[in-house]
Amino acid sequence: MTIPAQFDAKTIENKWYAYWMKNNYFHSEPDHRTPYTIVIPPPNVTGVLHMGHMLNNTIQDVLIRRARLKGFNACWVPGTDHASIATEAKVVAKLKAEGINKNDLTREEFLKHAWEWTDKYGGTILEQLKKLGASCDWERTKFTMDPDMSASVIKSFVDLYNKGLIYRGYRMVNWDPEAKTTLSDEEVIYEEQQGKLFFLNYKIEGSEEFLTIATTRPETIFGDTAICINPNDERFTHLKGKSAIVPICGRVIPIIEDEYVDVEFGTGCLKVTPAHDMNDKTLGEKHNLEIVDIFNEDATLNSFGLHYQGKDRFVVRTEIAKELEEIGALAKTETHLNKVGTSERTKAVIEPRLSDQWFLKMEDLVKPAIKSVLETGDIKLHPKRFENTYAHWLNNIRDWNISRQLWWGQQIPAYYYGDGKEDFVVAESIEDALALAKEKTANNSLTASDLKQDVDALDTWFSSWLWPMSVFGGIMDPESADYKYYYPTNDLVTGPDILFFWVARMIIAGYEYAGEKPFTNVYLTGLVRDKQRRKMSKSLGNSPDPLDLIDKFSADGVRVGLLLSASAGNDIMFDEDLCNQGKGFSNKIWNAFKLIKGWEVSETIAQPESSKVAIEWYEAKLQQTLVDIEDNFEKYRISDSLMAIYKLVWDDFCSWFLEMIKPGYQQPIDKVTFDKAIEMLESNLKLLHPFMPFLTEEIWQLIADRTTEEALIVSTWPELKPFDAKLIADFENAIEVISGIRTIRKDKNIPFKDTIELKGINSENVSAYFDSIITKLGNVSAFEYVSEKVEGALSFRVKSNEYFIPITGNIDVEAEIAKLTEELNYTKGFLKSVEAKLSNEKFVNGAPEKVLNIEKQKQADALAKIATIEQSLAGLK
């Protein structure tokens, strides 16, 4: 079989992915084997691959391919999320570009457009994952808006409502005026922003006196319904029971008292706007204040804003400040650093708004999720430090606002049969709802047309929190074979940014519906940043196209490059050089394979002792590395596992093992050694396969003709066996001897083709087991141990052992003596400077211990070097 000089990554990638798909290696069905299951964090259906996806899915593929090799029934379920806010925004923008206003469409008409958009752009990211080599069970691909997935969400809502855990309430919510929907507390990001503090004068009714009040939002004065003072603040005692007049709108509002007011902030007075501030709403309820909502859903002012009606809140803020100043109602302004809530999705500034919304009670639901992670350890977070973040979220949890003012998503299954707020029933279908409505009203003449379904959709997270169960049909049919076999899943790989949004909620749902954890381990990846530690983003132009990287460096190269620097939970400083390093590693493996396959094999020649020793050493080294690999996987140190394999293949296999067994120039290799070399190469390929699937499968298939049952993807992971650790330690000594020989050859310009003699004093009683290796790699014609120093020889030390290379005619003794003398004088001078430092009492008393230790080590190294040079000189004279 002809082996190409270089491998064509793109051809190989297409060939083997098609082969794997054709032979259905990725697909899983319940059987006698132990399952190993991962569910993909579903990306947005219309999203495209970015570097975070690359890292996350590479790690998942490593875990699933390794499990497959270890004999588990590996199942990796892919899918996408309908991402209600993001997707609806894209569809609305598309319609707007076509001159269509969403508000002019019926829900059904809009959803038709949304489905067309999803069908056109959806699923691209899953196709891109195939380029990366992701071995997902594509037959199980799910979308959170699939009929069965939506049915699971609706069933869950109805179940929780019937348990008394879902309720409808009139609450102050986080309103996103760009997306025109509510957000849960967790979807609001608080950012410090430089703003202004406006000091406004409110005239006291019936007098010429003014009260000055500080506010960051002067535009909200149209919603003021009271001024509040602290009853213990003597400055305002005379104002008790009086009223004030709101500037511009002229509304007369009461002056109320409450200890809530901070006498130290601003002027010690507070304007109360119950419709637009959570704390003001609480005050309003306590004091029975009027509620005046001044905003439209897009945060423009409504008719309460008078001549500012229809203008955006931030435009009004600027304009009203001028008007207030003109009428003498603006006392002053100051710069002010303020924490402002912004939408995680749209980045719009959040507007507190009173609204009827649906909520899920969390107080009791959260308890098993707290216990399983923070008390029993049934679920483990990697790295463990994220338990603190998890604890903070769950110990401070509030009821979850699960309704959204959107059309794209699962429509809330509440059906209204009257005009009252409580005139509704909750059911999985219109038929069930009609039966319930008839029963509740005792009105048998009701028809389906009399019922109106709630117009809101459910929060996207309310569908994805069921993901590990719903992908296996567990919500609709808890007795289904798939659900009982694959659930709970094993590992979850995701980002810490959705530890609460998704991970914690899946745990909550798992205990509520299955009575058990949804997974055992959660591997939290870091963020992929650029070399300057900046988060990657389109606006900064620092986020490379993953598919371009794959074209340039190969899928295997990119996978290796990402993982070499990706320790759990730590951010990655991404550099294309990492991918180039991965590509270089691919070339190294390919060239090693070509070297082996290029040897002529003889069945008649005997196996050299050096080859026998080399094989025994490499088998032990592979087993030692396998122990480290398994330990690192156990601790979810995926990067460390790869690094261990990298060093094994690059250093131990390529740099040492192949050199040890390589036949002489134009000489054949014995069959026993060749077969063992192939066996060792195959073991390496098995370890590498989860990380570099394409290259390893290509080499595996080129080694020998394989049946489909013998493909590398379904081969077996190397088995742990006992190994001789002393053998490995002894070889480290042999390496130093070989390095000493090579150094002398280099320094003395002794060509490698010229043999040398080697004599050694074995003070360390080192095993002679590797002498055949030293002889071969040092091109030593004769190697013997002696009891006395060898005169007229070059020497070097390995620990207390001393080795001698007798001088032959091609070394100029006088020149060598001159060179060594110069080096000796320099080293003595260096030693003198170090000892001067160490004899300086001021330096010794003032220097840190670490610095002192460095100087002492310099002294010891210099003394050892002087002794070696002096011995070499003695041997030459």
Side-chain angles (χ1 to χ4, degrees), residues 832-841 843-844 855 858:
K832 190 176 179 181
S833 68
V834 172
E835 288 179 334
K837 268 189 186 180
L838 291 173
S839 62
N840 184 328
E841 193 175 330
F843 170 77
V844 172
E855 293 302 316
K858 286 179 183 177

Side-chain angles (χ1 to χ4, degrees), residues 492 494 498-507 519 522 524:
L492 179 75
T494 190
I498 54 174
L499 179 57
F500 179 80
F501 289 122
W502 191 46
V503 179
R505 286 169 174 164
M506 282 191 290
I507 296 171
F519 29 71
V522 180
L524 296 158

